[in-house]
Amino acid sequence: MKLHGILPACVTPFIDGRADAAAMQENIARWLETGVHGFVIFGSTGEFPYLEDEERGTILAAARAAIPEDKIMLAGCGAESTERTLRYLREAAAHGVQAALVVTPVYYTRGNTEAQRRYYLDLAEASPIPILIYNVPAFTAYELPVELVLELAQHPNIAGIKDSSNYGRRAVIEVAEGPEDFAVFSGNPNYVFPALAMGAAGSITAFANIIPELMVAIYRAVQAGDMATAARVQVAVSRLHWEIGPLGSPALKAILEHRGFRPGRPRRPLLPLSPDERARAVAAWERAMQAVG
Amino acid sequence: MKLHGILPACVTPFIDGRADAAAMQENIARWLETGVHGFVIFGSTGEFPYLEDEERGTILAAARAAIPEDKIMLAGCGAESTERTLRYLREAAAHGVQAALVVTPVYYTRGNTEAQRRYYLDLAEASPIPILIYNVPAFTAYELPVELVLELAQHPNIAGIKDSSNYGRRAVIEVAEGPEDFAVFSGNPNYVFPALAMGAAGSITAFANIIPELMVAIYRAVQAGDMATAARVQVAVSRLHWEIGPLGSPALKAILEHRGFRPGRPRRPLLPLSPDERARAVAAWERAMQAVG
Amino acid sequence: MKLHGILPACVTPFIDGRADAAAMQENIARWLETGVHGFVIFGSTGEFPYLEDEERGTILAAARAAIPEDKIMLAGCGAESTERTLRYLREAAAHGVQAALVVTPVYYTRGNTEAQRRYYLDLAEASPIPILIYNVPAFTAYELPVELVLELAQHPNIAGIKDSSNYGRRAVIEVAEGPEDFAVFSGNPNYVFPALAMGAAGSITAFANIIPELMVAIYRAVQAGDMATAARVQVAVSRLHWEIGPLGSPALKAILEHRGFRPGRPRRPLLPLSPDERARAVAAWERAMQAVG
Amino acid sequence: MKLHGILPACVTPFIDGRADAAAMQENIARWLETGVHGFVIFGSTGEFPYLEDEERGTILAAARAAIPEDKIMLAGCGAESTERTLRYLREAAAHGVQAALVVTPVYYTRGNTEAQRRYYLDLAEASPIPILIYNVPAFTAYELPVELVLELAQHPNIAGIKDSSNYGRRAVIEVAEGPEDFAVFSGNPNYVFPALAMGAAGSITAFANIIPELMVAIYRAVQAGDMATAARVQVAVSRLHWEIGPLGSPALKAILEHRGFRPGRPRRPLLPLSPDERARAVAAWERAMQAVG
């Protein structure tokens, strides 16, 4: 199945302090009603660095059971050491995950291009499933160089990238200069329409948790050549990001709860929103949703 | 005349070590053949921090004489002190400049929001011509906060912004949240199509010196609703920027010389391109120009 | 036992791909001959983000057995989630560790002062052993604000800080404005002499792995009021850091091997030094060691 | 006369909106009573980017007349273009200035090592007086690489550096690896004692405007081998910097006025302190001055 479309980077529901498989399945069922093309489990929005190993298997199994075969299922498998990432890749493959998101490791390898190259090539050689690079400077505090992305893109087991850079240019270059079948996903909610208009395969964002309808509307409008609609909805998405982006993933959980999903609470040290923040986030979300009538 | 369209931030020709008025006029005549909507004199590409005061008047007079009345003429007037900027604003007004670009001062006021606010409000009160804020972190190493931009946008004598941020989101928010008549110009060559598609007034870029035809093509395509063409040309622009952006304005002078313009040489300490760099820059430019047949 | 002195942040020996308890004990025995005042297990130099949970217990038990009762034993216990850090703190206490280093979490909480405050206060309340804050921007890409450090320093279970900031001023302020018994350890090898001269309790550094003799010499000289000697040795330390700092912890393992320790190899994706780099690192180390005759 | 000692980077008095030569002379007379070894005119504290060309000559002439022949007189001559810097260098020489501080240009050459190299070498070849490099990332937002500093230090007309980096290591390396007669001045008020203890020639700081007595005390203590006193006074200096550093040079003018100097007001867009800030700054200064009894 070709990697494409709108894929929410799903929140992981922590309820009573534990990753809750049943809530995960309920949420997936709700997202399926919005027309999304698949799901990413254990993205940054999924609080993956806070998960215990035993929770990973539970959630993967639950998600796999809830996601129809004709929908895409990706999982974040990045860890700091090559060995642990490989362990997660094998586990994901065993659970029927189609491809893996591998975030750039953060602690020692920031700015170390040679270590980055070896990391991804070692994984690509050994992984039972294809890999998507995951570049997310908001969390890692660095950018994988585009030159290295283009080099890694030549490996047959490196299938694409989720690029959450603020620099929209990156996605354009990765599409234009990468191999034909290298799947570029915009991870920046402000760049979904431009990226799709210029040839990106799709978008994987935190925001697709709370506004999947808007993201799908942008995707469909671009597919249909109706760029004016795509641009109009993008403005609504960008305004929402402007208003609640700084509140982080706790705002997504608050809005999902308001929508009737079961997101649970963020895990410590992330803090839930205050009542005021929550009211503000919900109001901003309601305004944004009017863009799809 | 409404502020809009494709406005090259013109190079200042230094020939035999001096700012050359005749060459400036010849270049303007050449750019006029490409369909641009006007000109910005003394933008960053104009090496404005290297100009002596007496050169400013010479160039402004020459440019004014060469620019038809139905074309827009802006001039960069930013300096470090409020007093000197005011002097430049009055001089620009006396030369018939329509509005002024005022870059955020760099040395002491980086990160000092209150000083920035006072700076722009003092100027807006005293300037004989409207002001456009000029946000260009590549040179100033900071971003004027969008909140402050939106606040300043309420002043009747602050007419718009040239936003050269890498963060495309800024332009979207400035368009969507600013006053109706606040003119947002994308200064980032990678964001021309998206910005125009989402409501920006136009684009002021260094790259419009060397590829005015491509910039005008994007503008016209968006105006005509032909977004597919706009997106296609944008990809060519972004690829060119990817290839020669790091070479800076000396690359623009090299390409302009190749095109038959009279750009002269960069002023010291800027260095002209090496022959190898020059050949590479010209080849990249030729590839990009094929996007407009 | 008062927290003080020169404490190497020990490398974790990975031999045949596994954390090797016997090598750890041999290394500790070697360091004990140099006059160090104690040890930090699982500091950044210990590649703690690459350790599997089962390896932590093995190494802690081995280190505890090898470290005499009259020497200080600290352990790094920081993880991303509050819950996991608490688990590591309890495990460290059970192994007889005196106090814990808790690095600022990196992924979601960079720049989120409120989450940082809650994180450290929650830990301080629940931890069976005292906590030292660990500020290390080279790896975390942010600085815990000094104001927050001073606020946290008031908690009876927050005993000190290892401050590896490049900004030496931080350590001075933390000593001067913190509580009397708040133990400030310089983590920056370039600031050991100044920090000690201005009242720091000691120094915890990567470099104390390879030049414990120099670090102890600085400490003893400052204690004896012989600042000229301390300054002279500091210059040698800073020159060494200038020469091999960019090579990272793999350089420390190479030099330790040269010294006859058993450091093993860095774990992937960290790369061992090339033969050229290794020769250069050893030569620089030999020059530095001449400062102690 | 050998470049050494404590040199305040003098404020430029703006009184009734103009650079005031008589006030400059009065201030110099007051500073001379404190034991400083000389003066720097047109440092960053002198608001040099706000000066008009005609003011430069007036102030230089006044300062030259007020500074005894046995005191050092330096002047800041850096501008953006090589040509203008050369003009300022020649003017400074004509006024009897001993050597010039040349700040790294900020606008186009940030990060462009080759342009930096050519800039300083061109100046060194043509300047009638020796040059000191001036590295001040707080204002320029970049650091001249230490490797380039060491390379430039080989030129006979490049006599030293004022290094205002927050990274104290830089000064140590510049002292240790530079030529014997390369004069390193710490520009960071938090690093005066360590830099002097490790061989720096002296210190040029904004803070020597308001606490010349403390700076001279540190210098004399280090010269006398009384490092304990030097360290004690340094702590007072660092605490003061911690308290008022963020208020910038307007705080220096407020404190100088309190001391009975004639500093005038900062030039726009710099803002004078509010009454509250002023009271806080003066109180912090009074506490610091107690370190010298």
Side-chain angles (χ1 to χ4, degrees):
Chain A
M1 187 164 31
K2 196 175 170 318
L3 296 171
H4 76 288
I6 299 300
L7 313 179
C10 306
V11 299
T12 303
F14 295 115
I15 297 180
D16 298 331
R18 325 208 55 183
D20 187 314
M24 190 81 199
Q25 291 184 320
E26 282 187 41
N27 293 340
I28 289 172
R30 298 288 303 267
W31 281 312
L32 282 169
E33 298 165 11
T34 65
V36 298
H37 304 84
F39 300 89
V40 177
I41 313 300
F42 307 152
S44 292
T45 315
E47 297 173 60
F48 77 85
Y50 295 170
L51 290 170
E52 297 299 324
D53 277 8
E54 60 273 21
E55 293 175 317
R56 292 181 62 94
T58 308
I59 292 292
L60 282 178
R64 181 66 281 175
I67 298 173
E69 283 302 315
D70 64 341
K71 295 285 180 182
I72 294 164
M73 179 179 175
L74 307 182
C77 294
E80 287 294 309
S81 76
T82 305
E83 260 53 53
R84 190 178 302 178
T85 302
L86 274 173
R87 177 151 58 83
Y88 290 164
L89 286 165
R90 291 183 190 118
E91 178 193 36
H95 279 91
V97 167
Q98 182 175 353
L101 226 56
V102 178
V103 69
T104 56
V106 300
Y107 203 78
Y108 300 111
T109 42
R110 187 177 284 120
N112 185 340
T113 303
E114 186 51 28
Q116 294 287 356
R117 178 183 288 113
R118 288 305 333 154
Y119 178 69
Y120 281 108
L121 291 179
D122 286 349
L123 296 174
E125 287 301 310
S127 174
I129 50 175
I131 285 169
L132 285 86
I133 298 164
Y134 178 20
N135 180 60
V136 61
F139 296 129
T140 63
Y142 75 104
E143 305 262 14
L144 202 68
V146 173
E147 293 85 350
L148 180 55
V149 171
L150 295 177
E151 179 190 332
L152 294 171
Q154 300 301 323
H155 194 286
N157 211 22
I158 298 184
I161 186 167
K162 175 189 173 186
D163 202 324
S164 299
S165 174
N166 278 308
Y167 298 78
R169 185 182 76 164
R170 287 179 60 102
V172 177
I173 298 306
E174 288 155 1
V175 170
E177 308 281 345
E180 182 79 27
D181 61 349
F182 187 68
V184 176
F185 286 84
S186 169
N188 180 339
N190 297 289
Y191 210 71
V192 178
F193 151 61
L196 293 174
M198 288 184 278
S203 172
I204 299 170
T205 60
F207 263 42
N209 279 277
I210 55 168
I211 48 166
E213 297 87 350
L214 273 67
M215 296 300 198
V216 169
I218 294 174
Y219 187 82
R220 290 180 181 164
V222 172
Q223 294 299 104
D226 178 7
M227 300 279 191
T229 294
R232 183 179 57 74
V233 179
Q234 176 66 64
V235 171
V237 172
S238 292
R239 292 176 80 165
L240 179 63
H241 191 253
W242 165 250
E243 292 173 300
I244 71 166
L247 296 174
S249 68
L252 307 184
K253 289 199 159 176
I255 290 167
L256 282 170
E257 194 170 77
H258 174 81
R259 284 194 70 154
F261 284 64
R262 292 182 60 203
R265 290 166 66 92
R267 192 163 263 184
R268 295 192 296 173
L270 281 179
L271 299 167
L273 297 198
S274 70
D276 270 8
E277 289 170 328
R278 185 189 175 91
R280 183 154 60 86
V282 167
W285 171 78
E286 284 173 343
R287 275 193 301 277
M289 287 297 285
Q290 293 169 6
V292 285
Chain B
M1 186 165 31
K2 195 174 171 320
L3 296 171
H4 76 287
I6 299 300
L7 313 179
C10 306
V11 299
T12 303
F14 296 116
I15 297 179
D16 297 333
R18 326 209 51 184
D20 188 314
M24 189 83 200
Q25 291 184 320
E26 282 188 42
N27 294 340
I28 288 171
R30 297 286 305 269
W31 282 312
L32 281 168
E33 297 164 11
T34 65
V36 298
H37 304 83
F39 300 89
V40 176
I41 312 300
F42 307 152
S44 292
T45 315
E47 297 173 61
F48 76 85
Y50 295 170
L51 289 170
E52 297 298 324
D53 277 8
E54 61 273 19
E55 293 175 317
R56 292 180 63 95
T58 307
I59 292 293
L60 282 178
R64 181 66 281 178
I67 298 173
E69 283 302 315
D70 64 340
K71 295 285 180 181
I72 294 164
M73 178 179 175
L74 306 183
C77 293
E80 286 294 308
S81 76
T82 304
E83 260 54 54
R84 191 178 299 176
T85 303
L86 275 173
R87 179 152 56 83
Y88 290 165
L89 286 165
R90 291 183 189 118
E91 179 192 37
H95 279 91
V97 166
Q98 181 175 351
L101 226 56
V102 178
V103 69
T104 56
V106 298
Y107 203 78
Y108 301 111
T109 41
R110 188 176 284 118
N112 184 341
T113 303
E114 185 50 26
Q116 294 287 355
R117 178 183 287 114
R118 286 307 330 156
Y119 179 69
Y120 281 109
L121 291 179
D122 286 349
L123 296 174
E125 286 300 311
S127 175
I129 50 175
I131 286 169
L132 284 85
I133 298 163
Y134 178 19
N135 180 60
V136 60
F139 296 129
T140 63
Y142 74 104
E143 304 262 13
L144 201 68
V146 173
E147 292 84 350
L148 180 55
V149 172
L150 294 177
E151 178 190 332
L152 295 171
Q154 300 301 324
H155 194 287
N157 211 22
I158 298 184
I161 186 167
K162 176 189 172 186
D163 202 324
S164 298
S165 174
N166 279 309
Y167 298 77
R169 184 182 78 163
R170 287 179 60 102
V172 177
I173 298 305
E174 288 155 1
V175 169
E177 308 281 344
E180 182 79 26
D181 61 348
F182 187 69
V184 175
F185 286 84
S186 170
N188 180 338
N190 298 289
Y191 210 71
V192 178
F193 150 60
L196 293 174
M198 287 185 278
S203 172
I204 299 170
T205 60
F207 262 42
N209 278 279
I210 55 169
I211 48 166
E213 299 86 351
L214 275 65
M215 295 302 196
V216 169
I218 293 174
Y219 186 83
R220 289 180 180 161
V222 171
Q223 294 299 104
D226 178 7
M227 300 277 191
T229 293
R232 183 180 55 76
V233 180
Q234 177 65 65
V235 171
V237 172
S238 292
R239 293 176 80 165
L240 179 62
H241 192 253
W242 165 250
E243 292 173 302
I244 72 165
L247 296 174
S249 67
L252 306 186
K253 288 198 159 176
I255 290 168
L256 282 171
E257 195 170 77
H258 174 80
R259 284 194 70 153
F261 283 65
R262 293 182 58 203
R265 291 167 65 91
R267 192 163 261 185
R268 295 193 296 175
L270 281 179
L271 300 167
L273 297 198
S274 70
D276 271 8
E277 289 170 328
R278 186 189 174 91
R280 183 154 59 87
V282 167
W285 170 78
E286 285 173 342
R287 275 194 300 277
M289 287 297 285
Q290 293 168 7
V292 285
Chain C
M1 186 162 31
K2 195 174 171 318
L3 296 171
H4 76 286
I6 299 300
L7 313 180
C10 306
V11 300
T12 303
F14 296 115
I15 296 179
D16 298 331
R18 325 209 54 183
D20 187 315
M24 189 83 200
Q25 290 184 322
E26 281 188 41
N27 293 340
I28 288 171
R30 297 288 303 268
W31 282 312
L32 281 169
E33 296 165 13
T34 65
V36 298
H37 303 84
F39 300 89
V40 176
I41 313 301
F42 307 150
S44 292
T45 315
E47 297 173 60
F48 76 85
Y50 295 169
L51 289 170
E52 298 297 326
D53 277 7
E54 60 274 20
E55 293 176 316
R56 291 180 63 95
T58 308
I59 292 293
L60 281 179
R64 181 65 281 177
I67 298 172
E69 284 301 316
D70 64 339
K71 295 285 179 182
I72 294 164
M73 178 178 175
L74 306 183
C77 293
E80 287 293 310
S81 77
T82 304
E83 260 54 52
R84 191 178 302 177
T85 302
L86 275 172
R87 178 150 57 83
Y88 289 165
L89 285 166
R90 291 185 189 115
E91 178 193 38
H95 278 93
V97 166
Q98 182 176 352
L101 225 57
V102 178
V103 69
T104 56
V106 300
Y107 204 77
Y108 300 111
T109 42
R110 189 176 284 118
N112 184 340
T113 303
E114 185 51 27
Q116 294 286 356
R117 177 182 289 113
R118 287 306 332 155
Y119 178 69
Y120 280 108
L121 291 178
D122 286 350
L123 296 173
E125 287 301 311
S127 175
I129 52 174
I131 286 170
L132 284 85
I133 298 163
Y134 178 20
N135 180 60
V136 60
F139 296 130
T140 62
Y142 74 105
E143 303 263 12
L144 202 68
V146 173
E147 293 84 349
L148 180 56
V149 171
L150 294 176
E151 178 190 333
L152 294 171
Q154 300 301 324
H155 194 288
N157 210 23
I158 298 184
I161 186 167
K162 175 188 173 187
D163 202 325
S164 298
S165 175
N166 279 308
Y167 298 78
R169 184 181 77 163
R170 285 180 60 101
V172 177
I173 298 304
E174 288 155 2
V175 169
E177 307 282 344
E180 183 79 27
D181 60 350
F182 187 69
V184 175
F185 286 84
S186 170
N188 180 338
N190 297 288
Y191 211 71
V192 178
F193 150 61
L196 293 174
M198 288 184 278
S203 172
I204 299 170
T205 60
F207 263 42
N209 278 278
I210 56 169
I211 49 166
E213 297 87 349
L214 274 67
M215 294 301 196
V216 168
I218 293 174
Y219 186 83
R220 289 180 182 163
V222 171
Q223 294 299 103
D226 178 7
M227 300 279 191
T229 294
R232 184 179 55 76
V233 181
Q234 176 66 63
V235 171
V237 172
S238 292
R239 292 176 80 166
L240 179 62
H241 191 253
W242 166 250
E243 292 173 301
I244 72 166
L247 296 174
S249 67
L252 306 185
K253 289 199 160 176
I255 291 168
L256 282 170
E257 193 170 77
H258 174 80
R259 283 194 70 153
F261 284 64
R262 292 182 59 204
R265 290 168 67 91
R267 192 162 263 186
R268 295 194 296 173
L270 280 180
L271 300 166
L273 297 197
S274 69
D276 271 8
E277 289 171 328
R278 185 189 173 91
R280 182 154 60 86
V282 167
W285 170 79
E286 284 173 343
R287 276 193 300 277
M289 287 297 285
Q290 293 167 7
V292 286
Chain D
M1 186 164 30
K2 195 175 171 318
L3 296 171
H4 76 287
I6 299 300
L7 313 180
C10 306
V11 299
T12 303
F14 296 116
I15 296 179
D16 298 333
R18 325 209 52 184
D20 188 314
M24 189 82 199
Q25 291 184 319
E26 282 188 42
N27 293 341
I28 288 171
R30 298 286 305 267
W31 282 312
L32 281 169
E33 297 165 11
T34 65
V36 298
H37 304 84
F39 300 89
V40 177
I41 314 299
F42 307 151
S44 292
T45 316
E47 296 173 60
F48 77 85
Y50 296 169
L51 290 170
E52 298 297 324
D53 277 7
E54 60 272 22
E55 293 175 319
R56 292 180 63 95
T58 307
I59 292 292
L60 282 179
R64 180 66 282 176
I67 298 172
E69 283 302 314
D70 64 341
K71 295 286 179 181
I72 294 164
M73 178 178 175
L74 307 182
C77 293
E80 287 293 309
S81 77
T82 304
E83 260 53 54
R84 190 178 301 177
T85 302
L86 274 173
R87 179 151 56 83
Y88 290 164
L89 285 166
R90 292 184 188 116
E91 178 192 38
H95 279 93
V97 167
Q98 182 176 351
L101 225 58
V102 179
V103 69
T104 57
V106 299
Y107 204 77
Y108 300 112
T109 41
R110 188 176 285 119
N112 184 338
T113 303
E114 185 51 26
Q116 294 287 357
R117 178 183 287 113
R118 287 308 329 155
Y119 178 69
Y120 280 108
L121 292 178
D122 286 349
L123 296 174
E125 286 301 311
S127 174
I129 51 175
I131 285 170
L132 285 86
I133 298 163
Y134 178 20
N135 180 60
V136 59
F139 296 129
T140 62
Y142 74 105
E143 305 263 12
L144 202 68
V146 173
E147 292 85 349
L148 180 56
V149 171
L150 295 177
E151 178 190 333
L152 294 171
Q154 300 300 323
H155 194 287
N157 211 22
I158 298 183
I161 187 167
K162 175 189 173 187
D163 202 324
S164 298
S165 174
N166 279 308
Y167 298 77
R169 183 182 79 163
R170 286 179 61 101
V172 177
I173 298 305
E174 287 155 2
V175 169
E177 307 281 344
E180 182 78 28
D181 61 350
F182 187 69
V184 176
F185 286 84
S186 169
N188 180 339
N190 298 290
Y191 210 70
V192 178
F193 150 61
L196 293 173
M198 288 184 278
S203 173
I204 299 170
T205 59
F207 263 42
N209 278 278
I210 56 168
I211 49 166
E213 298 87 349
L214 273 66
M215 295 300 197
V216 169
I218 293 173
Y219 186 82
R220 290 180 179 161
V222 171
Q223 294 299 105
D226 178 7
M227 301 277 191
T229 294
R232 184 178 56 76
V233 180
Q234 176 66 64
V235 171
V237 172
S238 291
R239 293 177 81 165
L240 180 62
H241 192 253
W242 165 250
E243 292 173 301
I244 72 166
L247 296 173
S249 68
L252 307 185
K253 288 199 160 177
I255 290 167
L256 282 171
E257 195 170 75
H258 174 81
R259 285 194 69 154
F261 284 64
R262 292 182 60 203
R265 291 166 66 91
R267 193 162 262 184
R268 296 193 295 174
L270 280 180
L271 299 167
L273 297 198
S274 70
D276 271 7
E277 288 170 329
R278 185 189 174 92
R280 183 154 60 87
V282 167
W285 170 78
E286 285 174 342
R287 275 193 300 276
M289 287 297 284
Q290 293 168 6
V292 286

